[in-house]
Amino acid sequence: MAGDILRNGYAMTVLGPVAPEALGPTLLHEHLLCDLRPLDQRGSPEPEVEITLANAFAVNYRPGAFRGNHRVQDVGLAGREAAAFVRAGGGAIVDVTTGGLAPDPEGLAAVSRASGVHAVLGAGWYTAPYLDADTLALDEGALEDGLLAQLTDGAWGTPIRCGLIGEIGCSWPLHPFERRCLHAAARVQGRTGAALTVHPGRDPAAPFEILRIVDAAGGDLSRTIIDHMDRTYFDEGEIVPLARTGCVVEFDFFCIETSNYWLGVADLPTDWMRLRAIRRLFEAGLGEQVAVSHDICTRSRLRANGGHGYAHLLENVVPLMRERGFSADEVDQLLVRTPRRLLTLPGRRQLTADSA
Ligand SMILES: [Zn+2]
């Protein structure tokens, strides 16, 4: 039954398949609706932060220090934030909210209908610390079946289908669950051709280990995205060998321009430093293997709360790109053509052979 759903040459959004040409400028790594609070904070009766002009900077500077900032579940607000992206010329947003982070397919469908944005949901599970014991006990076969079902039948108890795999969560070192999940994800990618996006552990060796696992399990590196370059490598030259493996390298912290990394110690770059690293990849002939996004997952980064919102790349970074020597064609590659290639499902060819 899976074969008739993964239709050749379409992108799968939460409202159904669309022609890839309709996607337009696309953000490949965002959260429109998510709950990234640690498990021990959920269900707490303590009040959540109310963001005002007086504390907006403080919440943005120390996003993990304010209760509830990482719970973004207001569907009406998400629709208005997505509409601002559409008004800026945006076409599609990929919500990579996977199991453990409260994925909400019906909510995303409402956001899409309200804003006109094409919304694509990712399949799979996040890192082990966010998962319950029942999920952590799933074996590789169950994970593979689950991933395939999310892509072909519907996700999280709904008939709404995912349009890619991930973000698949990986820690460093890999938790046994994460290794099984990554292995299952690569196998499902091999069967379906869906793009795979992976949140790597924070060690510079982690992305290379992930790619070895994906490759050995039958995945397709040319359709595998390694997320979060911004906090994994602090010398832009280190990213070139990673891209030379054939994967897509993703700079997805655009507009996080702060010296304070809330999850550890990291020399976070500014947008200009990101563009310098991306320039270097283009000059090495690897420009078709670069993705860009904001990874919004806090209330404080939303426009309504004084943050930059989903339109920052289009409104502020594109002019910066042009000023720093990127051609219109290179901008189109980053924002339109690479996401379009990754979100276009290649069809049923391997699926029917494998699942008959
Ligand atoms: Zn991530």
Side-chain angles (χ1 to χ4, degrees):
M1 90 183 282
D4 62 335
I5 302 297
L6 287 179
R7 293 168 63 180
N8 191 25
Y10 283 80
M12 182 57 75
T13 75
V14 294
L15 298 184
V18 301
E21 298 71 36
L23 294 174
T26 299
L27 301 175
L28 269 172
H29 193 113
E30 303 293 339
H31 302 271
L32 281 160
L33 298 169
C34 70
D35 185 355
L36 255 125
R37 293 174 302 166
L39 288 185
D40 59 6
Q41 276 184 25
R42 300 187 190 181
S44 161
E46 288 185 50
E48 298 186 326
V49 63
E50 185 187 339
I51 300 174
T52 66
L53 276 176
N55 67 8
F57 174 81
V59 183
N60 247 321
Y61 195 77
R62 294 188 293 123
F66 294 84
R67 189 172 288 277
N69 190 36
H70 280 84
R71 189 176 73 78
V72 183
Q73 294 184 306
D74 181 332
V75 172
L77 176 57
R80 294 191 292 279
E81 296 284 326
F85 170 69
V86 172
R87 281 198 302 276
I93 297 178
V94 178
D95 187 311
V96 293
T97 303
T98 45
L101 305 181
D104 180 359
E106 300 283 10
L108 274 186
V111 168
S112 177
R113 282 190 290 265
S115 64
V117 80
H118 294 296
V120 177
L121 178 61
W125 291 268
Y126 197 57
T127 56
Y130 289 83
L131 301 173
D132 60 33
D134 286 349
T135 305
L136 290 172
L138 293 172
D139 66 18
E140 196 177 306
L143 293 171
E144 190 174 337
D145 291 347
L147 280 164
L148 194 59
Q150 289 172 25
L151 287 164
T152 58
D153 295 334
W156 312 114
T158 77
I160 295 170
R161 293 168 206 121
C162 294
L164 82 169
I165 305 165
E167 59 183 314
I168 296 297
C170 294
S171 308
W172 179 266
L174 274 176
H175 183 282
F177 171 87
E178 295 165 355
R179 186 178 292 274
R180 291 199 302 279
C181 188
L182 188 58
H183 205 253
R187 283 186 50 79
V188 171
Q189 184 188 44
R191 292 174 67 181
T192 62
L196 166 62
T197 185
V198 186
H199 164 114
R202 276 192 289 278
D203 188 286
F208 291 93
E209 180 190 43
I210 287 163
L211 291 171
R212 280 194 298 276
I213 292 170
V214 169
D215 192 38
D220 177 354
L221 297 196
S222 76
R223 297 180 62 72
T224 299
I225 307 161
I226 301 292
D227 310 332
H228 310 326
M229 289 299 106
D230 321 57
R231 57 82 164 138
T232 311
Y233 299 103
F234 305 108
D235 170 348
E236 62 210 37
E238 285 184 285
I239 301 171
V240 172
L242 184 65
R244 286 209 199 283
T245 65
C247 73
V248 175
V249 295
E250 185 171 85
F251 296 81
D252 47 27
F253 280 17
F254 269 89
C255 215
I256 293 180
E257 298 190 315
T258 176
S259 300
N260 173 58
Y261 184 48
W262 56 103
L263 290 171
V265 177
D267 295 344
L268 294 174
T270 63
D271 283 353
W272 153 234
M273 293 156 77
R274 294 181 177 97
L275 293 185
R276 194 172 61 189
I278 293 170
R279 191 69 244 157
R280 192 155 170 174
L281 289 157
F282 270 92
E283 251 124 58
L286 300 163
E288 295 180 11
Q289 293 165 241
V290 182
V292 293
S293 211
H294 312 99
D295 195 8
I296 292 176
C297 57
T298 52
R299 296 180 193 182
S300 53
R301 295 177 71 195
L302 299 177
R303 189 173 287 215
N305 293 325
H308 57 82
Y310 298 92
H312 171 70
L313 265 160
L314 292 177
E315 289 180 340
N316 304 323
V317 180
V318 168
L320 204 59
M321 287 176 176
R322 298 307 309 277
E323 185 188 304
R324 308 290 170 134
F326 284 79
S327 68
D329 184 71
E330 288 170 334
V331 172
D332 188 72
Q333 179 73 52
L334 286 166
L335 287 165
V336 179
R337 299 205 298 274
T338 295
R340 184 171 70 205
R341 172 179 77 80
L342 291 163
L343 293 175
T344 303
L345 293 162
R348 67 184 68 181
R349 115 194 93 77
Q350 295 131 314
L351 198 64
T352 43
D354 263 15
S355 58

mmCIF file of all heavy atoms in Angstrom, residues 112-139:
data_model
loop_
_atom_site.group_PDB
_atom_site.id
_atom_site.type_symbol
_atom_site.label_atom_id
_atom_site.label_comp_id
_atom_site.label_asym_id
_atom_site.label_seq_id
_atom_site.Cartn_x
_atom_site.Cartn_y
_atom_site.Cartn_z
ATOM 1 N N SER A 112 -0.889 25.737 8.087
ATOM 2 C CA SER A 112 -0.746 25.817 6.636
ATOM 3 C C SER A 112 -1.980 26.457 6.003
ATOM 4 O O SER A 112 -1.867 27.344 5.151
ATOM 5 C CB SER A 112 -0.516 24.403 6.078
ATOM 6 O OG SER A 112 -0.442 24.435 4.684
ATOM 7 N N ARG A 113 -3.164 26.029 6.456
ATOM 8 C CA ARG A 113 -4.392 26.595 5.887
ATOM 9 C C ARG A 113 -4.523 28.080 6.214
ATOM 10 O O ARG A 113 -4.946 28.880 5.388
ATOM 11 C CB ARG A 113 -5.618 25.830 6.401
ATOM 12 C CG ARG A 113 -5.831 24.482 5.698
ATOM 13 C CD ARG A 113 -7.192 23.878 6.059
ATOM 14 N NE ARG A 113 -7.214 23.444 7.445
ATOM 15 C CZ ARG A 113 -6.954 22.198 7.837
ATOM 16 N NH1 ARG A 113 -6.680 21.258 6.946
ATOM 17 N NH2 ARG A 113 -6.978 21.884 9.109
ATOM 18 N N ALA A 114 -4.127 28.471 7.443
ATOM 19 C CA ALA A 114 -4.284 29.868 7.864
ATOM 20 C C ALA A 114 -3.296 30.798 7.161
ATOM 21 O O ALA A 114 -3.612 31.960 6.916
ATOM 22 C CB ALA A 114 -4.104 29.967 9.388
ATOM 23 N N SER A 115 -2.103 30.293 6.865
ATOM 24 C CA SER A 115 -1.032 31.173 6.379
ATOM 25 C C SER A 115 -0.765 31.046 4.891
ATOM 26 O O SER A 115 -0.146 31.922 4.288
ATOM 27 C CB SER A 115 0.261 30.851 7.128
ATOM 28 O OG SER A 115 0.681 29.523 6.822
ATOM 29 N N GLY A 116 -1.163 29.919 4.311
ATOM 30 C CA GLY A 116 -0.818 29.665 2.916
ATOM 31 C C GLY A 116 0.561 29.056 2.734
ATOM 32 O O GLY A 116 0.983 28.805 1.602
ATOM 33 N N VAL A 117 1.276 28.796 3.822
ATOM 34 C CA VAL A 117 2.599 28.191 3.690
ATOM 35 C C VAL A 117 2.441 26.694 3.402
ATOM 36 O O VAL A 117 1.508 26.055 3.897
ATOM 37 C CB VAL A 117 3.441 28.423 4.972
ATOM 38 C CG1 VAL A 117 3.083 27.438 6.091
ATOM 39 C CG2 VAL A 117 4.932 28.350 4.664
ATOM 40 N N HIS A 118 3.331 26.147 2.564
ATOM 41 C CA HIS A 118 3.418 24.696 2.430
ATOM 42 C C HIS A 118 4.194 24.183 3.631
ATOM 43 O O HIS A 118 5.361 24.559 3.817
ATOM 44 C CB HIS A 118 4.145 24.307 1.139
ATOM 45 C CG HIS A 118 3.402 24.677 -0.106
ATOM 46 N ND1 HIS A 118 2.187 24.128 -0.440
ATOM 47 C CD2 HIS A 118 3.706 25.548 -1.103
ATOM 48 C CE1 HIS A 118 1.768 24.637 -1.590
ATOM 49 N NE2 HIS A 118 2.660 25.504 -2.010
ATOM 50 N N ALA A 119 3.579 23.346 4.447
ATOM 51 C CA ALA A 119 4.245 22.823 5.638
ATOM 52 C C ALA A 119 4.528 21.342 5.434
ATOM 53 O O ALA A 119 3.652 20.576 5.035
ATOM 54 C CB ALA A 119 3.371 23.037 6.878
ATOM 55 N N VAL A 120 5.758 20.957 5.709
ATOM 56 C CA VAL A 120 6.182 19.561 5.572
ATOM 57 C C VAL A 120 6.638 19.093 6.949
ATOM 58 O O VAL A 120 7.388 19.796 7.625
ATOM 59 C CB VAL A 120 7.344 19.428 4.559
ATOM 60 C CG1 VAL A 120 7.835 17.990 4.480
ATOM 61 C CG2 VAL A 120 6.914 19.939 3.186
ATOM 62 N N LEU A 121 6.171 17.911 7.368
ATOM 63 C CA LEU A 121 6.536 17.380 8.688
ATOM 64 C C LEU A 121 7.563 16.257 8.539
ATOM 65 O O LEU A 121 7.470 15.435 7.624
ATOM 66 C CB LEU A 121 5.276 16.854 9.388
ATOM 67 C CG LEU A 121 5.469 16.201 10.769
ATOM 68 C CD1 LEU A 121 6.063 17.191 11.780
ATOM 69 C CD2 LEU A 121 4.144 15.649 11.298
ATOM 70 N N GLY A 122 8.519 16.213 9.461
ATOM 71 C CA GLY A 122 9.536 15.162 9.469
ATOM 72 C C GLY A 122 9.093 13.954 10.279
ATOM 73 O O GLY A 122 8.382 14.084 11.275
ATOM 74 N N ALA A 123 9.542 12.774 9.852
ATOM 75 C CA ALA A 123 9.211 11.514 10.542
ATOM 76 C C ALA A 123 10.339 11.119 11.495
ATOM 77 O O ALA A 123 11.483 11.509 11.295
ATOM 78 C CB ALA A 123 9.012 10.410 9.504
ATOM 79 N N GLY A 124 10.005 10.340 12.521
ATOM 80 C CA GLY A 124 11.051 9.767 13.364
ATOM 81 C C GLY A 124 11.047 10.289 14.786
ATOM 82 O O GLY A 124 10.032 10.804 15.276
ATOM 83 N N TRP A 125 12.202 10.176 15.438
ATOM 84 C CA TRP A 125 12.328 10.478 16.865
ATOM 85 C C TRP A 125 13.559 11.325 17.139
ATOM 86 O O TRP A 125 14.566 11.223 16.449
ATOM 87 C CB TRP A 125 12.410 9.179 17.672
ATOM 88 C CG TRP A 125 11.127 8.410 17.669
ATOM 89 C CD1 TRP A 125 10.127 8.506 18.599
ATOM 90 C CD2 TRP A 125 10.677 7.465 16.693
ATOM 91 N NE1 TRP A 125 9.081 7.673 18.258
ATOM 92 C CE2 TRP A 125 9.392 7.023 17.088
ATOM 93 C CE3 TRP A 125 11.222 6.950 15.519
ATOM 94 C CZ2 TRP A 125 8.660 6.093 16.366
ATOM 95 C CZ3 TRP A 125 10.503 6.022 14.779
ATOM 96 C CH2 TRP A 125 9.240 5.601 15.202
ATOM 97 N N TYR A 126 13.456 12.126 18.203
ATOM 98 C CA TYR A 126 14.557 12.997 18.637
ATOM 99 C C TYR A 126 15.492 12.219 19.578
ATOM 100 O O TYR A 126 15.414 10.997 19.680
ATOM 101 C CB TYR A 126 13.949 14.248 19.289
ATOM 102 C CG TYR A 126 14.899 15.406 19.426
ATOM 103 C CD1 TYR A 126 15.549 15.952 18.318
ATOM 104 C CD2 TYR A 126 15.158 15.969 20.675
ATOM 105 C CE1 TYR A 126 16.423 17.017 18.456
ATOM 106 C CE2 TYR A 126 16.027 17.036 20.821
ATOM 107 C CZ TYR A 126 16.662 17.548 19.706
ATOM 108 O OH TYR A 126 17.531 18.602 19.858
ATOM 109 N N THR A 127 16.370 12.919 20.286
ATOM 110 C CA THR A 127 17.398 12.255 21.108
ATOM 111 C C THR A 127 16.784 11.534 22.313
ATOM 112 O O THR A 127 15.709 11.892 22.804
ATOM 113 C CB THR A 127 18.436 13.264 21.631
ATOM 114 O OG1 THR A 127 17.754 14.292 22.356
ATOM 115 C CG2 THR A 127 19.232 13.884 20.488
ATOM 116 N N ALA A 128 17.516 10.543 22.819
ATOM 117 C CA ALA A 128 17.023 9.678 23.894
ATOM 118 C C ALA A 128 16.536 10.421 25.142
ATOM 119 O O ALA A 128 15.524 10.012 25.729
ATOM 120 C CB ALA A 128 18.101 8.659 24.254
ATOM 121 N N PRO A 129 17.197 11.509 25.599
ATOM 122 C CA PRO A 129 16.722 12.155 26.839
ATOM 123 C C PRO A 129 15.298 12.703 26.757
ATOM 124 O O PRO A 129 14.686 12.991 27.784
ATOM 125 C CB PRO A 129 17.728 13.298 27.049
ATOM 126 C CG PRO A 129 18.960 12.860 26.338
ATOM 127 C CD PRO A 129 18.480 12.089 25.144
ATOM 128 N N TYR A 130 14.747 12.841 25.552
ATOM 129 C CA TYR A 130 13.393 13.381 25.401
ATOM 130 C C TYR A 130 12.333 12.288 25.242
ATOM 131 O O TYR A 130 11.162 12.586 25.045
ATOM 132 C CB TYR A 130 13.337 14.319 24.182
ATOM 133 C CG TYR A 130 14.089 15.613 24.412
ATOM 134 C CD1 TYR A 130 15.460 15.685 24.227
ATOM 135 C CD2 TYR A 130 13.418 16.760 24.854
ATOM 136 C CE1 TYR A 130 16.158 16.873 24.449
ATOM 137 C CE2 TYR A 130 14.103 17.940 25.081
ATOM 138 C CZ TYR A 130 15.470 17.984 24.887
ATOM 139 O OH TYR A 130 16.157 19.158 25.116
ATOM 140 N N LEU A 131 12.758 11.025 25.285
ATOM 141 C CA LEU A 131 11.837 9.934 24.953
ATOM 142 C C LEU A 131 11.434 9.141 26.193
ATOM 143 O O LEU A 131 12.214 8.998 27.136
ATOM 144 C CB LEU A 131 12.500 9.014 23.921
ATOM 145 C CG LEU A 131 12.895 9.723 22.620
ATOM 146 C CD1 LEU A 131 13.685 8.793 21.714
ATOM 147 C CD2 LEU A 131 11.666 10.265 21.897
ATOM 148 N N ASP A 132 10.212 8.591 26.164
ATOM 149 C CA ASP A 132 9.737 7.791 27.294
ATOM 150 C C ASP A 132 10.247 6.352 27.186
ATOM 151 O O ASP A 132 10.795 5.940 26.155
ATOM 152 C CB ASP A 132 8.201 7.844 27.390
ATOM 153 C CG ASP A 132 7.529 7.314 26.129
ATOM 154 O OD1 ASP A 132 8.076 6.395 25.482
ATOM 155 O OD2 ASP A 132 6.443 7.830 25.793
ATOM 156 N N ALA A 133 10.044 5.603 28.254
ATOM 157 C CA ALA A 133 10.617 4.246 28.332
ATOM 158 C C ALA A 133 10.058 3.331 27.248
ATOM 159 O O ALA A 133 10.796 2.504 26.695
ATOM 160 C CB ALA A 133 10.339 3.667 29.724
ATOM 161 N N ASP A 134 8.767 3.470 26.926
ATOM 162 C CA ASP A 134 8.174 2.601 25.900
ATOM 163 C C ASP A 134 8.839 2.829 24.545
ATOM 164 O O ASP A 134 9.107 1.885 23.802
ATOM 165 C CB ASP A 134 6.669 2.874 25.760
ATOM 166 C CG ASP A 134 5.889 2.304 26.936
ATOM 167 O OD1 ASP A 134 6.491 1.544 27.724
ATOM 168 O OD2 ASP A 134 4.697 2.640 27.067
ATOM 169 N N THR A 135 9.075 4.084 24.209
ATOM 170 C CA THR A 135 9.733 4.392 22.928
ATOM 171 C C THR A 135 11.167 3.875 22.928
ATOM 172 O O THR A 135 11.627 3.262 21.950
ATOM 173 C CB THR A 135 9.708 5.910 22.665
ATOM 174 O OG1 THR A 135 8.356 6.370 22.732
ATOM 175 C CG2 THR A 135 10.287 6.249 21.295
ATOM 176 N N LEU A 136 11.867 4.103 24.044
ATOM 177 C CA LEU A 136 13.281 3.685 24.116
ATOM 178 C C LEU A 136 13.430 2.174 23.993
ATOM 179 O O LEU A 136 14.500 1.680 23.644
ATOM 180 C CB LEU A 136 13.901 4.167 25.431
ATOM 181 C CG LEU A 136 14.110 5.682 25.526
ATOM 182 C CD1 LEU A 136 14.533 6.073 26.941
ATOM 183 C CD2 LEU A 136 15.141 6.165 24.513
ATOM 184 N N ALA A 137 12.340 1.433 24.265
ATOM 185 C CA ALA A 137 12.412 -0.031 24.205
ATOM 186 C C ALA A 137 12.159 -0.572 22.797
ATOM 187 O O ALA A 137 12.319 -1.776 22.560
ATOM 188 C CB ALA A 137 11.394 -0.630 25.175
ATOM 189 N N LEU A 138 11.754 0.280 21.857
ATOM 190 C CA LEU A 138 11.428 -0.209 20.509
ATOM 191 C C LEU A 138 12.669 -0.781 19.818
ATOM 192 O O LEU A 138 13.751 -0.197 19.887
ATOM 193 C CB LEU A 138 10.857 0.929 19.646
ATOM 194 C CG LEU A 138 9.496 1.482 20.078
ATOM 195 C CD1 LEU A 138 9.141 2.719 19.258
ATOM 196 C CD2 LEU A 138 8.407 0.421 19.965
ATOM 197 N N ASP A 139 12.481 -1.938 19.164
ATOM 198 C CA ASP A 139 13.625 -2.515 18.439
ATOM 199 C C ASP A 139 13.676 -1.924 17.020
ATOM 200 O O ASP A 139 12.800 -1.157 16.606
ATOM 201 C CB ASP A 139 13.584 -4.045 18.444
ATOM 202 C CG ASP A 139 12.409 -4.609 17.656
ATOM 203 O OD1 ASP A 139 11.822 -3.883 16.824
ATOM 204 O OD2 ASP A 139 12.063 -5.789 17.877
#
